[in-house]
Amino acid sequence: MANVGNYLKKHSEALVKDVGIETACALSGKSKATLGRYYSDHVEHADRFMPVDVVAALEEKASYPHVTAALAELKGITLHFEEDRRNTRSPGGMNSDVIALSQRFAMLMAEYHTSMVDGDISVNEAKRMLKETLEIQKVLIDIKMHLEDETAR
């Protein structure tokens, strides 16, 4: 666990430095000293880690999800990071998301139909279908977030 702890502390420090210490304090409601303890390698702070709500608040403003990526790597998971932040609420809400999902699925099926004309999926065709699949995944995440909002009421 010591190596995992050090790994997470390094990424917590990178997150705070990415956002900036003053901004991190304002976003988290924590002091500089408290934030410093979360990534300190001193023995007396070995069991202190950044709370997940603080990580979420800081990663919202960071250029990269440092701690989330570190946790994923520890489990052997790779993340696909894009600058496009799709988890912001779309103005049309759930109805717009369902329409977007239908449109994306239609585009995927059109790509599939086109690629199967010769009975073989080429590399370029597979890349186009993968792109559409990833876009569908983004829309599904938006739908999930809207549904989470609805159940929280």
Side-chain angles (χ1 to χ4, degrees), residues 51-70:
V52 72
D53 61 330
V54 173
V55 171
L58 297 182
E59 285 188 349
E60 180 67 26
K61 298 295 181 188
S63 66
Y64 182 78
H66 299 277
V67 176
T68 299

Side-chain angles (χ1 to χ4, degrees), residues 6-152:
N6 289 337
Y7 188 70
L8 291 174
K9 284 182 177 285
K10 286 179 187 176
H11 284 84
S12 296
E13 181 177 14
L15 176 60
V16 171
K17 288 182 177 180
D18 183 349
V19 174
I21 189 70
E22 297 295 331
T23 303
C25 291
L27 289 171
S28 66
K30 308 289 183 189
S31 68
K32 290 180 185 179
T34 299
L35 289 175
R37 288 182 195 108
Y38 293 147
Y39 53 80
S40 172
D41 58 2
H42 292 276
V43 176
E44 64 269 19
H45 303 300
D47 62 345
R48 289 186 160 203
F49 294 94
M50 192 176 287
V52 72
D53 61 330
V54 173
V55 171
L58 297 182
E59 285 188 349
E60 180 67 26
K61 298 295 181 188
S63 66
Y64 182 78
H66 299 277
V67 176
T68 299
L71 289 168
E73 289 167 2
L74 288 170
K75 291 300 283 180
I77 299 169
T78 52
L79 300 177
H80 180 73
F81 179 73
E82 294 182 21
E83 288 296 320
D84 182 21
R85 301 226 177 182
R86 296 280 308 211
N87 287 345
T88 56
R89 302 297 181 265
S90 57
M94 186 73 166
N95 291 337
S96 293
D97 290 343
V98 171
I99 291 167
L101 179 62
S102 298
Q103 291 171 335
R104 286 291 178 187
F105 188 74
M107 292 169 73
L108 175 63
M109 291 297 97
E111 286 291 342
Y112 177 76
H113 176 73
T114 303
S115 68
M116 291 309 295
V117 169
D118 63 358
D120 188 36
I121 299 175
S122 71
V123 172
N124 286 335
E125 292 166 337
K127 286 180 181 179
R128 285 194 306 268
M129 285 192 291
L130 179 60
K131 181 179 183 271
E132 286 306 323
T133 303
L134 291 172
E135 291 301 318
I136 288 171
Q137 187 176 15
K138 290 176 187 177
V139 174
L140 286 170
I141 289 170
D142 286 344
I143 290 172
K144 179 182 181 281
M145 298 304 288
H146 283 293
L147 291 172
E148 290 287 339
D149 286 346
E150 289 297 319
T151 59

